[in-house]
Amino acid sequence: MSNEQPVDSLSRRRFFGGAGSVAAAGAGGLILGAGGATAVGGAVANAQEPNPAADVERLQAASAALSYPYYGTHQSGIDTPPQDHLVFTAFDLSATTPTELQLVLAKWSAAMAEMTAGRPVGKVEPGREQGVPVDTGEAFDMGPQGLTLTLGFGPSLFDARFGLAKFAPIDFANLPAMAGEALDPAYTGGDLCIQACANDPQVAYHAVRNLARMARTSVKTKWTVLGFGRASAGPTQKTPRNLMGFKDGTRNVSGEADFAEHVWVGEEAGQPWMKGGSYLVARKIHMLIETWDEDPIGDQQSVFGRTKQEGAPLSGQSEHDVPDFHATVAGKAAIAPDSHIALAAHENNGGTKILRRGYNFTDGLDSVGRLDAGLMFISYQKNPEQFVALQRKLGSSDRLNEYIRHVGSAVFAIPAGLPEAGSYYGKDFFA
Ligand code: HEM
């Protein structure tokens, strides 16, 4: 993936909290060595005796204090460097009036500001014995942990129930049926979604739990996926691997120009609230892990078009070598035309790119004892058509299809970021 994206994101987004050391841990990386902690860039210099416990404590403190701004042009959690953990939840509304919906959105917007700053959403210990805690408490004192909360609106939000049809973005609809799907309604659709990402799973879980709880008379949780392993990453962290053992995220949308061209919505949605927003596609993709694990390495590599250890394209040597889809070996294409990267690369799709920001997931064992695991694929794009065009091709021809099943699916319009305290998502709908 990108070499520039996280660097750009980091320079754009300021860290709160532990200022120098946090920024060093995020942007430059703390190096732990025999001489104690040294920050790249010289923010921390410690020539004392080795003290691994202190190093670990310092790193933990830096990670806990990491915080991303909540107010801004774009919602965070899109160009933010991927955190370790994901809780993705789609909700259906049980609310029946626009006022109830308005209340949910206003309450959530304010609570999201608190939690992303590492604060509880209300009292953990009410002042009287009979008082029920407002905040459930499990993230108390843990710090923001890089928490981002990204809110989305499903196509169904704009149906007849709340009178919002005139606020729907142009052409916003459920994804069409596509080859290679075996969708389970239990993991499909939703009126609203929250993508919670944080470096601590409990902090991400706490956020979604408390949002659901404060709106319990108006929203019902429809489906949830807990993700881990930063299936997409950048140069501030080595490219992480998916559960098939391959580096995932090597080539991705990167840098402001790419984001402007492929991810951020401009005027074309026909709705001011979408300008600076994006569209999120979520696909819960089950991997047939036992079958994959018996596949010889030569075949595994030609399925993706890359080597397993290094992640190099089969036309090159190193991970970040640009794939050459015309290169041949012994008269045959070095990267098979039906390999995953040959079918998905922008060079072979009229320049189409999407930002992939997925996470690995595992739900234990299925009913017959097989591993229930895979990729919670999340992509952001300026228009859902970008995803649909790629998935149509992958769904019909990708060699990877033998080892995966798309079991869940949803698309959400992600409104632009909030300008300031007091504003809330969807405010335009109720003016
Ligand atoms: C379980 C399912 C999937 C797995 C395991 C997977 C894995 C991978 C891997 C290992 C790479 C190569 C490294 C990289 O550049 O990141 C890759 C690239 C890519 N994947 Fe997937 N992927 C999956 C699903 C999808 C889907 C559903 C789409 C979009 C419809 C997609 C779009 C792409 C794109 C655009 C690239 C970059 C290709 C390039 O420019 O070289 N992938 N994927």
Side-chain angles (χ1 to χ4, degrees):
M1 110 169 217
S2 65
N3 275 340
E4 305 117 67
Q5 183 249 322
V7 176
D8 286 343
S9 313
L10 287 164
S11 58
R12 260 198 315 274
R13 299 190 176 281
R14 281 188 294 286
F15 295 110
F16 299 154
S21 58
V22 176
L30 280 177
I31 296 173
L32 300 178
T38 316
V40 175
V44 182
N46 181 358
Q48 293 160 10
E49 290 300 298
N51 187 347
D55 289 344
V56 168
E57 251 175 49
R58 229 182 330 265
L59 266 183
Q60 281 171 342
S63 165
L66 179 63
S67 165
Y68 294 104
Y70 176 66
Y71 298 103
T73 314
H74 312 295
Q75 288 197 55
S76 51
I78 303 171
D79 65 352
T80 310
Q83 303 93 323
D84 271 328
H85 295 273
L86 164 80
V87 177
F88 180 89
T89 302
F91 299 90
D92 272 343
L93 282 154
S94 45
T96 51
T97 66
T99 311
E100 275 177 277
L101 171 62
Q102 182 179 15
L103 203 61
V104 170
L105 295 173
K107 269 191 187 170
W108 276 11
S109 302
M112 286 158 74
E114 294 304 300
M115 291 189 287
T116 51
R119 293 187 291 264
V121 292
K123 288 201 167 137
V124 171
E125 279 183 13
R128 51 194 182 86
E129 287 292 305
Q130 273 68 39
V132 175
V134 179
D135 186 289
T136 54
E138 73 272 27
F140 193 70
D141 258 357
M142 289 182 72
Q145 300 278 356
L147 175 69
T148 56
L149 294 167
T150 314
L151 172 85
F153 300 144
S156 52
L157 188 72
F158 303 96
D159 64 18
R161 285 172 298 165
F162 304 101
L164 298 181
K166 67 173 188 284
F167 294 102
I170 292 171
D171 291 337
F172 184 42
N174 287 322
L175 298 176
M178 285 178 278
E181 299 180 326
L183 299 184
D184 179 343
Y187 294 107
T188 299
D191 292 330
L192 301 171
C193 79
I194 298 283
Q195 172 200 272
C197 297
N199 289 327
D200 184 279
Q202 190 152 315
V203 167
Y205 173 76
H206 166 266
V208 174
R209 175 184 181 191
N210 280 268
L211 293 174
R213 181 169 180 257
M214 74 181 63
R216 64 186 172 279
T217 54
S218 307
V219 303
K220 299 186 300 268
T221 303
K222 184 165 194 202
W223 56 288
T224 290
V225 177
L226 309 185
F228 62 93
R230 299 172 296 182
S232 180
T236 57
Q237 58 203 356
K238 281 196 180 144
T239 312
R241 292 176 186 275
N242 59 42
L243 296 181
M244 290 174 154
F246 277 74
K247 289 182 180 172
D248 202 330
T250 302
R251 288 222 302 170
N252 212 344
V253 163
S254 75
E256 290 200 24
D258 246 14
F259 269 84
E261 191 179 342
H262 303 284
V263 178
W264 304 131
V265 172
E267 310 285 347
E268 67 279 6
Q271 296 292 348
W273 61 269
M274 272 302 278
K275 193 177 168 193
S278 190
Y279 291 92
L280 179 161
V281 168
R283 304 283 283 188
K284 188 177 187 202
I285 308 178
H286 177 73
M287 291 173 176
L288 307 177
I289 293 214
E290 286 84 354
T291 317
W292 175 257
D293 288 347
E294 297 311 315
D295 194 38
I297 184 66
D299 193 66
Q300 291 194 350
Q301 299 192 144
S302 64
V303 163
F304 283 112
R306 288 185 174 272
T307 60
K308 195 163 188 177
Q309 276 184 198
E310 169 62 24
L314 296 180
S315 58
Q317 302 296 320
S318 311
E319 181 187 353
H320 293 287
D321 287 349
V322 176
D324 176 354
F325 297 106
H326 304 291
T328 54
V329 177
K332 283 175 63 184
I335 301 173
D338 56 354
S339 66
H340 185 67
I341 68 163
L343 291 168
H346 63 95
E347 291 92 336
N348 303 332
N349 288 286
T352 298
K353 290 187 186 177
I354 56 177
L355 173 72
R356 289 172 292 133
R357 203 177 184 286
Y359 285 78
N360 301 327
F361 75 84
T362 170
D363 283 341
L365 300 179
D366 68 13
S367 55
V368 289
R370 286 177 311 214
L371 289 168
D372 187 357
L375 180 69
M376 179 57 182
F377 175 95
I378 292 178
S379 67
Y380 286 93
Q381 45 272 306
K382 181 188 271 258
N383 189 321
E385 268 307 309
Q386 291 160 251
F387 169 83
V388 171
L390 292 181
Q391 181 52 31
R392 280 219 161 100
K393 236 172 118 180
L394 292 173
S396 56
S397 321
D398 193 356
R399 285 189 54 193
L400 185 57
N401 292 338
E402 196 181 333
Y403 305 99
I404 61 171
R405 294 285 174 276
H406 288 231
V407 295
S409 175
V411 59
F412 295 95
I414 304 294
L418 294 178
E420 68 219 345
S423 50
Y424 59 92
Y425 296 110
K427 196 171 181 178
D428 296 9
F429 305 165
F430 309 102

